[in-house]
Amino acid sequence: MGKVISIANQKGGVGKTTTAVNLSASLAITKIKTLLVDADPQGNSSSGVGYGKEDIEENLYHALIGEVSIREVIKGTAIPHLKIVTANTDLIGAEIEFINEIAREKKLKEVLSEVVPEYDFVFIDCPPSLGILTVNSLTAAHSVLIPLQCEYYAMEGLTQLLKTIRLVKEHLNPELQIEGILLTMYDARNNLSHQVAEEVRSHFKGKVFPTVIPRNIRLSEAPSYGKPVILYDAQSKGAQSYIELAKEILTNGKGNYG
């Protein structure tokens, strides 16, 4: 059985999609079977691996409402062992259509259950909100990875996210764990980055990944080419940091690979 990890933070601009795309790619490049599920109506994970909005017809939305099976919306990428379930603004409709549905929080889990055993890792890129799509993603997951930017107000909103995680664990998914907090947008030349990292590590002892993701121009450029950074510039600091994060997840015994 593969490990399902949701990547969540309701605050936008923290490196959530960057992490979803590049962590998935870093594992898949070593022939680990990886599925990336784009659960964000913005569709940035989809475009990050080469699927523009004009390329996306049937997608996660159509699987969630039962029009197609999840297998029909899994697409290949430039990395043979990385597959993606794409998304676009169609997914906004799910928020509305699920309002009166029974067990609406478990729709994504039900849909994914058919294919999860075929992968070593499944990563879900959550939208920047705590709505029904994020709750679905947390209900479907074994754990949640939380990207946190090394900037002012880094922990703003984190209390609410942790409360949501706790409620999902209590009422919907007792197996849900925190995979770890990932420090992003780290600038080693900036005292603030050091201060934020120190504060977060002190506040969340044992929950913060040793690997930090630096501010890196290659990481910023890669999505505009529809590529994970490992295919855009494998030697960049951004690519190397996600390779290190992938090693951490494997070394810590995550997933069923090996």
Side-chain angles (χ1 to χ4, degrees):
M1 174 66 75
K3 181 158 192 178
V4 183
I5 302 176
S6 283
I7 299 176
N9 190 327
Q10 80 273 24
K11 191 173 180 184
V14 299
K16 181 177 55 60
T17 295
T18 299
T19 297
V21 169
N22 291 298
L23 177 54
S24 298
S26 295
L27 287 163
I29 206 84
T30 61
K31 299 184 179 180
I32 293 170
K33 292 178 183 176
T34 307
L35 178 64
L36 174 57
V37 179
D38 192 346
D40 185 348
Q42 296 176 90
N44 289 335
S45 276
S46 303
S47 61
V49 296
Y51 286 95
K53 290 179 174 58
E54 67 282 357
D55 302 320
I56 298 170
E57 293 179 2
E58 290 179 334
N59 56 69
L60 178 61
Y61 167 74
H62 300 95
L64 287 173
I65 65 170
E67 278 190 8
V68 297
S69 76
I70 190 70
R71 292 184 190 282
E72 292 176 75
V73 294
I74 293 175
K75 296 177 170 67
T77 72
I79 300 173
H81 287 81
L82 176 61
K83 308 296 183 188
I84 184 164
V85 175
T86 58
N88 61 16
T89 51
D90 290 345
L91 207 49
I92 295 170
E95 297 268 5
I96 301 162
E97 291 173 43
F98 287 172
I99 287 173
N100 296 316
E101 287 272 348
I102 295 170
R104 62 186 182 272
E105 300 90 353
K106 297 183 178 180
K107 288 286 184 184
L108 183 58
K109 183 174 184 176
E110 290 169 5
V111 163
L112 288 178
S113 64
E114 183 184 344
V115 296
V116 165
E118 298 167 20
Y119 294 89
D120 297 301
F121 287 94
V122 177
F123 292 97
I124 306 173
D125 184 15
C126 299
S129 71
L130 293 177
I132 191 66
L133 289 171
T134 295
V135 172
N136 261 266
S137 299
L138 295 175
T139 303
H142 296 108
S143 63
V144 54
L145 189 158
I146 305 169
L148 199 68
Q149 80 281 25
C150 293
E151 296 179 350
Y152 278 120
Y153 309 122
M155 289 193 281
E156 189 180 74
L158 194 55
T159 302
Q160 188 60 44
L161 175 61
L162 293 173
K163 180 181 177 183
T164 300
I165 292 168
R166 187 171 66 251
L167 288 170
V168 169
K169 186 178 172 77
E170 286 175 7
H171 300 287
L172 296 166
N173 181 7
E175 294 181 4
L176 186 65
Q177 302 292 327
I178 293 177
E179 186 79 16
I181 295 170
L182 176 67
L183 295 169
T184 64
M185 303 178 189
Y186 183 84
D187 186 345
R189 302 164 300 177
N190 186 331
N191 283 336
L192 178 63
S193 283
H194 291 282
Q195 290 166 10
V196 170
E198 193 174 306
E199 181 183 359
V200 173
R201 287 202 169 101
S202 172
H203 198 77
F204 297 101
K205 283 186 173 65
K207 295 287 188 186
V208 184
F209 288 103
T211 297
V212 297
I213 308 301
R215 282 197 175 278
N216 179 253
I217 189 66
R218 295 305 199 196
L219 270 179
S220 302
E221 290 173 347
S224 65
Y225 292 88
K227 293 180 179 181
V229 70
I230 200 166
L231 294 184
Y232 180 63
D233 185 350
Q235 299 307 313
S236 66
K237 287 183 178 178
Q240 292 299 312
S241 65
Y242 278 108
I243 290 168
E244 288 305 311
L245 178 63
K247 287 177 183 175
E248 269 193 65
I249 284 180
L250 289 172
T251 302
N252 291 342
K254 316 299 187 195
N256 68 349
Y257 182 73

